[in-house]
């Protein structure tokens, strides 16, 4: 038998006895309406974080672009292009968050949370394009070096770039962790890396001030290398999400929670997957073979409830109850064996 419920995910960390007592005495619900409200609130916070960071990075890139025009610094140009690209990544993520608010349909039965994965792919491609442009420009200047003008202004623009990126990084990471969006957290870490590349521009300005004409293009190439490192990490994270990878620690936490549920005599197949910034679980638990349908259903509900409290950002759970095997009894799943052998659903 299977028991299908859709609940809102709650993140219940180990807290003080007073907090746990307050939680027990405070009415709380896992009903569908609450899940929808929580998902909408999370998406709204994510969209707000994206548009605010878009504005900050947009102003930062614009200020740097003005300095690039008067100074001719390719190091600052690479940093400006990367900041502009980072700001534009807010667009696909914002669209993904808006799509994620839409309810599931008969065609998209899991909803539209996967739009975040598509946004992640768009972000990776944007980072790759910015790396290619910055590298090409720096290489061209290395082959044909030119003096950098208005070095003090370039240094100030580099500091502006660092400040803007660091503020955006802190904001995106804080909101991303709060709502459980790996894409938003990764974008925040990306912005933090951009801040350090801005400091590299400052080093290039210092080298140019000392008369080393290759300082600017060399720093431009160093910034390109930093962008490539960000690209590698971002691509790896997106690749894992597309293949439904989760932190093994979450699986361990879920198994421990299930083994503590009264009536659960074993934990079979357990699967977790991200759909947007929410988790979905599917698990088979072993129950008393002599239990009635109502008793097995009660155990399944308690197992589901335990998972919702144990696993952060878990939105829905599907629990399948298997009877405890009896010596000499045929495997009840034997009729499905030929489907599994062929790899068919």
């Amino acid at each position: 038998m299977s028991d299908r419920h859709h609940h809102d995910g709650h993140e219940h960390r180990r807290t003080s006895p007073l907090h746990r007592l307050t939680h027990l005495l405070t009415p709380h619900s896992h009903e569908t309406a609450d899940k929808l409200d929580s998902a909408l609130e999370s998406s709204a916070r994510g969209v707000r974080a994206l548009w605010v960071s878009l504005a900050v990075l947009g102003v930062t890139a614009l200020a740097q672009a003005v300095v690039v025009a008067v100074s001719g610094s390719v190091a600052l140009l690479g940093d400006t292009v990367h900041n502009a690209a980072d700001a534009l990544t807010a667009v696909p993520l914002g669209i993904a968050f808006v799509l994620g608010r839409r309810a599931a349909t008969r065609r998209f039965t899991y909803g539209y949370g996967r739009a975040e994965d598509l946004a992640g792919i768009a972000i990776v491609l944007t980072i790759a394009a910015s790396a290619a442009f910055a590298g090409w420009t720096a290489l061209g200047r290395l082959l044909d070096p030119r003096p950098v003008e208005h070095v003090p202004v370039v240094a100030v623009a580099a500091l502006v770039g660092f400040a803007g990126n660091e503020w955006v990084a802190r904001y995106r990471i804080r909101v991303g962790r709060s709502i459980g969006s790996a894409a938003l957290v990764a974008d925040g870490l990306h912005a933090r890396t951009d801040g350090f590349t801005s400091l590299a521009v400052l080093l290039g300005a210092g080298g140019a001030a000392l008369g080393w004409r290759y300082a600017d293009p060399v720093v431009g190439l160093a910034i390109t290398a930093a962008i490539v490192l960000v690209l590698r990490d971002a691509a790896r994270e997106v690749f894992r999400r597309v293949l439904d990878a989760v932190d093994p620690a979450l699986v361990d936490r879920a198994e421990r929670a299930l083994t503590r549920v009264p009536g659960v005599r074993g934990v079979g197949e357990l699967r977790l997957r991200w759909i947007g910034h929410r988790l979905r679980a599917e698990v088979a638990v072993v129950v008393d073979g002599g239990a009635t349908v109502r008793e097995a259903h009660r155990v399944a509900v308690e197992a589901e409830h335990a998972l919702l409290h144990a696993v952060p950002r878990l939105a829905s759970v599907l629990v399948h109850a298997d009877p405890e095997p009896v010596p000499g009894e045929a495997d009840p799943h034997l009729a499905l064996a030929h489907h599994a052998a062929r790899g068919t659903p």
Side-chain angles (χ1 to χ4, degrees), residues 30-187:
H30 300 295
E31 294 303 321
T32 303
D34 294 320
K35 181 192 78 169
L36 181 60
D37 290 342
S38 177
L40 289 175
E41 180 183 355
S42 297
S43 296
R45 292 183 61 193
V47 170
R48 184 165 58 248
L50 288 170
W51 295 138
V52 170
S53 59
L54 170 63
V56 173
L57 287 178
V59 171
T60 301
L62 182 61
Q64 289 182 315
V66 173
V67 178
V68 168
V70 299
S71 67
S73 170
V74 294
L76 185 60
L77 174 62
D79 191 40
T80 303
V81 170
H82 199 195
N83 285 335
D86 192 27
L88 291 177
T89 59
V91 176
L93 264 181
I95 294 174
F97 279 127
V98 171
L99 281 176
R101 299 180 184 183
R102 299 182 63 180
T105 65
R106 292 183 65 84
R107 181 178 295 276
F108 297 96
T109 55
Y110 283 96
Y112 295 83
R114 284 290 190 182
E116 282 192 39
D117 296 331
L118 296 179
I121 295 174
I123 290 172
V124 168
L125 294 177
T126 302
I127 298 173
S130 65
F133 179 79
W136 179 262
T137 306
L139 184 61
R141 185 60 58 87
L142 187 65
L143 297 175
D144 182 22
R146 302 173 190 173
V148 176
E149 301 177 357
H150 306 289
V151 174
V153 180
V154 173
V156 172
L159 291 175
V160 170
F162 172 76
N165 276 290
E166 181 59 22
W167 188 90
V168 167
R170 290 174 179 267
Y171 184 45
R172 285 180 175 177
I173 291 171
R174 183 176 70 250
V175 175
R177 287 176 176 168
S178 175
I179 68 175
S181 173
L184 190 55
V185 172
D187 223 20

